[in-house]
Amino acid sequence: MSDLPPPDSEHPDRDDRDGRDDNDDRFAEIVEAETDRDPDLAVIEAGSRTLRTQAGPPQGDIPSRPTDPEVDKALREVETELASRWGETKLEPSVSRISALMDVLGEPQRAYPSIHITGTNGKTSTARMIEALFSAFELRTGRYTSPHVQSITERISLDGAPIEAERFVETYNDIKPYVEMVDAKEEYRLSFFEVLTGMAYAAFADAPVDVAVVEVGMGGSWDATNVIDGSVAVVTPIDLDHTDRLGSTPGEIAGEKAGIIKPDATVILAQQPVDAAQVLLKKAVEVDATVAREGLEFGIVSRTVAVGGQLLTLRGLGGEYEEVFLPLHGAYQAHNAAVALAAVEAFFGIGSQHARPLDIDTIRKAFASVSSPGRLEVVRTSPTVVLDAAHNPAGARATAEAVSEVFDFSNLIGVVAASDGKDMKGLLEAFEPIFAEVVITQNSSHRAMDADTLAGLAVEVFGDERVQVEPRLPDALEAAITLAEEEGEYAGGGVLVTGSVITVGEARLLLGRG
């Protein structure tokens, strides 16, 4: 790990309540003006002793297909070979195969420190924020996230941008002989996700990166990514999703996700259901990990909706960070920002080795550079078309709340297509209060829920008069835009496309983004 970044020049080493300067006075004024704050924020303001002791280049957007026909052909061949393996929804819970691959590759995942992220919602956005913060402090980053919105190359990022298609192909070809070696010895071949994980870890070692930011695929303990020993483990909010594999309660699901918490690590916990928090804290005690909890050791002090995003004051492990602009919408993204900041502080030893905040200007620059495609992303105006990858009830509730806060829609039309096996009735119920009507459709994935099946659930929630079915996504988008325009150009019509990452990715392409 590189040397700790310089402390904020305006905040020399001090106890958080001593040596107040002009910035502290402004902070006090903001706090005094906040009459409806959550009481827990008083704890944050006072400062916890549990852990009290740092903007990068713009994030790469979603890549399009390679323009070079030969490179595009090679990438398609790799995609075809990967698709011939077990998909991400067919699992044999074990890390034996990925461990065998790491062994023959020479343990590339040990070549750099890492931050490991699990949770139900918010993992990718949080990973992008962590990546931006590290880049701002001039650390070379590798980021591994899933699923992808449009291009498989999005999953592996170097220095804040998706890996080039040529490098993606080269990385696959480099590890292919070793993959085949493991395939021949194991009971089951390496899966699609396991091979991609091996590619990511190899690419990061080859770069080389200073730090890797790794998002689990599913769960934690037996996820393919869990061959790393993250010095910082991040757990975003846990809710019900993948209940057939992970458990039927937040506590049961937390039991699987707690598997990423390693001995002597620092654990950054977003706000959690009580039963999930109990499981996570128990695991931390068992492995002697240090815990920082949102709402106690760190959190949001204030949040104001701003043009193009929101303005935040965050309480980190080392102090306050005022006037941080985040160009993403929704309270949930502010919570993601607080978690990301605490994770980076913990990585730099703040709270355990140091008691000072990171440089505020660098923090501001980093957060101002963050993007998260497919998360409340506006891709068209007149009428406004927004894309959001919510795919479970908890994510839908957060999105619905954010839409109501940010946009002044008087006639919002939903376009919904989903994957099989999801709680789509719960998702539709979360959106019912904000959708005037909903257009039910189907994406092109082999895992897509049948449009008629989804429409039956929608009729139960919305009633027959508010549901329209268009089996093809292009037709559904056209129908929704027409419905949104019915009240006139200036009547506040809009379209929200949601239900799955695949749906959002396909809509993004159809609407000319990527």
Side-chain angles (χ1 to χ4, degrees):
M1 185 171 69
S2 61
D3 292 336
L4 180 73
D8 183 346
S9 59
E10 295 182 352
H11 294 274
D13 288 349
R14 54 172 171 78
D15 183 273
D16 287 333
R17 299 288 81 187
D18 296 331
R20 298 173 67 91
D21 57 16
D22 291 340
N23 284 337
D24 290 316
D25 292 338
R26 287 198 298 274
F27 171 75
E29 291 171 4
I30 292 172
V31 170
E32 188 174 356
E34 289 290 320
T35 58
D36 59 346
R37 288 188 308 148
D38 188 292
D40 283 345
L41 292 178
V43 177
I44 300 171
E45 178 194 358
S48 167
R49 307 314 330 162
T50 309
L51 271 178
R52 305 299 301 174
T53 41
Q54 249 197 6
Q59 302 291 296
D61 204 345
I62 304 299
S64 55
R65 297 297 308 184
T67 55
D68 185 324
E70 290 302 313
V71 175
D72 187 57
K73 178 183 177 183
L75 179 59
R76 290 186 187 279
E77 288 174 352
V78 172
E79 289 171 327
T80 300
E81 289 186 33
L82 288 170
S84 71
R85 296 178 173 273
W86 274 4
E88 289 173 282
T89 59
K90 186 174 182 180
L91 303 169
E92 195 274 318
S94 168
V95 293
S96 63
R97 292 175 303 281
I98 188 68
S99 295
L101 180 60
M102 293 296 100
D103 183 52
V104 296
L105 288 175
E107 303 289 345
Q109 81 281 16
R110 311 269 182 225
Y112 38 80
S114 55
I115 288 184
H116 206 179
I117 306 171
T118 190
T120 301
N121 292 307
K123 296 187 296 295
T124 299
S125 293
T126 302
R128 283 176 165 270
M129 293 177 194
I130 292 172
E131 175 187 52
L133 288 162
F134 280 136
S135 295
F137 287 108
E138 300 183 356
L139 293 186
R140 189 161 201 207
T141 58
R143 172 172 53 85
Y144 181 52
T145 54
S146 61
H148 56 274
V149 177
Q150 288 174 203
S151 171
I152 194 172
T153 60
E154 298 164 35
R155 294 176 180 239
I156 304 172
S157 288
L158 293 171
D159 296 324
I163 191 171
E164 295 288 338
E166 296 95 330
R167 192 164 188 172
F168 185 90
V169 173
E170 289 170 4
T171 301
Y172 176 77
N173 289 332
D174 286 344
I175 76 165
K176 183 177 178 180
Y178 302 97
V179 168
E180 292 172 344
M181 189 185 306
V182 173
D183 283 344
K185 293 181 178 180
E186 295 290 324
E187 182 179 1
Y188 303 105
R189 296 171 71 213
L190 287 154
S191 69
F192 168 89
F193 187 72
E194 287 169 333
V195 175
L196 272 175
T197 301
M199 289 174 61
Y201 290 162
F204 296 162
D206 185 60
V209 301
D210 296 313
V211 57
V213 183
V214 178
E215 173 190 333
V216 304
M218 185 185 300
S221 59
W222 43 259
D223 187 73
T225 62
N226 204 29
V227 289
I228 58 171
D229 291 322
S231 60
V232 178
V234 175
V235 186
T236 65
I238 291 175
D239 212 295
L240 301 182
D241 200 9
H242 302 295
T243 53
D244 55 331
R245 298 181 178 89
L246 301 180
S248 58
T249 68
E252 290 178 357
I253 293 171
E256 288 295 334
K257 295 185 183 293
I260 73 163
I261 300 174
K262 305 297 171 59
D264 300 319
T266 299
V267 186
I268 305 299
L269 293 184
Q271 292 178 349
Q272 303 290 347
V274 173
D275 59 341
Q278 289 173 337
V279 171
L280 295 165
L281 291 170
K282 181 180 178 182
K283 177 59 182 285
V285 170
E286 290 173 352
V287 299
D288 199 24
T290 303
V291 176
R293 300 152 294 176
E294 184 182 6
L296 292 173
E297 285 76 50
F298 68 93
I300 303 167
V301 174
S302 67
R303 186 180 76 88
T304 305
V305 176
V307 176
Q310 50 195 310
L311 192 65
L312 309 175
T313 294
L314 301 175
R315 165 69 72 174
L317 304 178
E320 307 92 21
Y321 299 84
E322 299 175 340
E323 298 179 2
V324 175
F325 176 70
L326 180 67
L328 301 175
H329 300 296
Y332 68 97
Q333 294 288 19
H335 288 285
N336 290 340
V339 169
L341 176 60
V344 172
E345 286 183 308
F347 182 86
F348 286 134
I350 293 174
S352 58
Q353 303 169 32
H354 308 275
R356 65 196 186 205
L358 298 170
D359 179 68
I360 184 61
D361 289 334
T362 307
I363 295 299
R364 288 170 179 157
K365 182 181 176 185
F367 277 119
S369 75
V370 172
S371 68
S372 194
R375 277 76 179 176
L376 279 182
E377 180 185 18
V378 177
V379 294
R380 171 183 164 157
T381 57
S382 300
T384 300
V385 178
V386 183
L387 308 180
D388 191 86
H391 56 276
N392 55 48
R397 288 191 294 270
T399 297
E401 179 183 343
V403 168
S404 299
E405 176 183 79
V406 176
F407 301 98
D408 189 24
F409 292 128
S410 60
N411 183 38
L412 179 61
I413 310 301
V415 174
V416 181
S419 298
D420 257 332
K422 297 290 184 178
D423 179 6
M424 292 312 296
K425 186 173 182 182
L427 180 141
L428 292 167
E429 287 172 342
F431 282 125
E432 190 277 334
I434 68 168
F435 286 167
E437 297 180 63
V438 62
V439 181
I440 298 300
T441 187
Q442 190 170 323
N443 60 50
S444 64
S445 167
H446 66 281
R447 296 193 290 116
M449 181 178 285
D450 177 73
D452 289 336
T453 301
L454 182 56
L457 296 174
V459 168
E460 289 181 33
V461 175
F462 289 85
D464 190 60
E465 302 253 332
R466 295 167 64 193
V467 177
Q468 182 171 331
V469 182
E470 295 289 350
R472 296 180 64 254
L473 182 56
D475 297 335
L477 290 171
E478 184 176 349
I481 288 169
T482 300
L483 288 169
E485 290 175 333
E486 282 185 352
E487 292 187 14
E489 184 178 356
Y490 303 106
V495 174
L496 175 63
V497 183
T498 189
S500 84
V501 175
I502 296 167
T503 301
V504 164
E506 292 183 0
R508 209 171 183 275
L509 281 171
L510 289 167
L511 293 165
R513 298 296 294 269

